[in-house]
Amino acid sequence: MVKVKVFRCRLCRDPYIGEEPPSRCPFCGAPAWFFVPAEDWNPSDYIFEISEVSKANLKAALQLELSNTSFYLCATNVAKAIGDEYGFAKFKALKKVENEHADAIVKLLKINLPALEKIPCSEDFKKNTKEGWEREDRAIKAYAKFAQEAPELQLKQFFEALVEIETDHLDLHAQNLKMV
Ligand SMILES: [Fe+2]
Ligand SMILES: [Fe+2]
């Protein structure tokens, strides 16, 4: 008999049941190395003083995540309206992940999640994919810089995990842009 265990994602903090940690967190997309066995979870790992530089960078990251959440929400709705099942699935998954990132950031900043502002998008899957690629590219560059600047090991890892996740998204968009 296969024994399942409980794991926890250190990025979104959500639990997961499985034989092994998933290759990507089903909630926030974090890679397997971000999971720990639930028994080893230490809440005090999340209690630390955040430097001014990281506070400013987390706030900038929050703006990126909220904007991307809202953009992918628009793209999801457009795909749904025109009956594009693939576009609907892809943009909905991206919207959910970016929303989790915004949520993880507000937990670190100990603030409430701001309301989403409406962001326009195209009626066209390829145009939205192209804009998605550009948005992920901007986020990756910002988070790589934020990881370097973070004096806190936890936040360095947090931004590094975001870089990995957004790189998955970038690759996905790139694959779709090659579609005929
Ligand atoms: Fe997660
Ligand atoms: Fe994100």
Side-chain angles (χ1 to χ4, degrees):
M1 252 228 329
V2 178
K3 287 256 172 31
V4 295
K5 291 180 257 185
V6 184
F7 297 93
R8 263 181 102 167
C9 173
R10 291 187 291 124
L11 197 136
C12 69
R13 310 185 194 186
D14 272 330
Y16 171 84
I17 294 175
E19 294 167 52
E20 300 288 338
S23 76
R24 304 288 187 277
C25 175
F27 313 107
C28 75
W33 65 271
F34 239 68
F35 279 82
V36 290
E39 296 88 342
D40 299 344
W41 186 261
N42 185 359
S44 59
D45 287 349
Y46 290 90
I47 304 163
F48 58 93
E49 207 48 54
I50 300 181
S51 62
E52 286 307 313
V53 62
S54 287
K55 237 179 241 171
N57 286 343
L58 283 168
K59 282 182 189 160
L62 179 60
Q63 289 315 310
L64 284 170
E65 295 296 339
L66 290 171
S67 173
N68 290 350
T69 301
S70 189
F71 169 72
Y72 287 133
L73 174 63
C74 176
T76 303
N77 290 337
V78 164
K80 189 175 183 173
I82 61 172
D84 170 12
E85 287 291 339
Y86 175 79
F88 172 74
K90 168 180 146 167
F91 290 125
K92 184 174 180 181
L94 290 167
K95 183 246 159 201
K96 289 180 94 165
V97 166
E98 305 305 14
N99 198 49
E100 283 291 335
H101 295 171
D103 208 53
I105 294 167
V106 299
K107 270 186 207 145
L108 286 165
L109 287 170
K110 298 189 173 65
I111 57 172
N112 291 325
L113 191 65
L116 280 186
E117 278 172 43
K118 255 205 163 138
I119 302 266
C121 62
S122 167
E123 299 287 307
D124 178 70
F125 173 81
K126 276 223 166 161
K127 281 190 187 143
N128 286 336
T129 294
K130 174 106 198 315
E131 179 167 346
W133 189 95
E134 284 157 5
R135 285 173 169 274
E136 300 293 350
D137 188 53
R138 272 200 296 278
I140 291 164
K141 285 176 181 147
Y143 300 159
K145 179 170 167 278
F146 298 166
Q148 262 187 359
E149 289 174 351
E152 309 86 351
L153 179 65
Q154 293 99 322
L155 294 180
K156 207 174 262 306
Q157 289 191 346
F158 180 82
F159 284 121
E160 280 168 359
L162 287 181
V163 167
E164 282 196 41
I165 302 163
E166 314 302 11
T167 301
D168 275 348
H169 299 170
L170 189 86
D171 291 346
L172 178 64
H173 290 314
Q175 282 176 51
N176 289 161
L177 289 169
K178 277 186 222 129
M179 276 179 5
V180 210

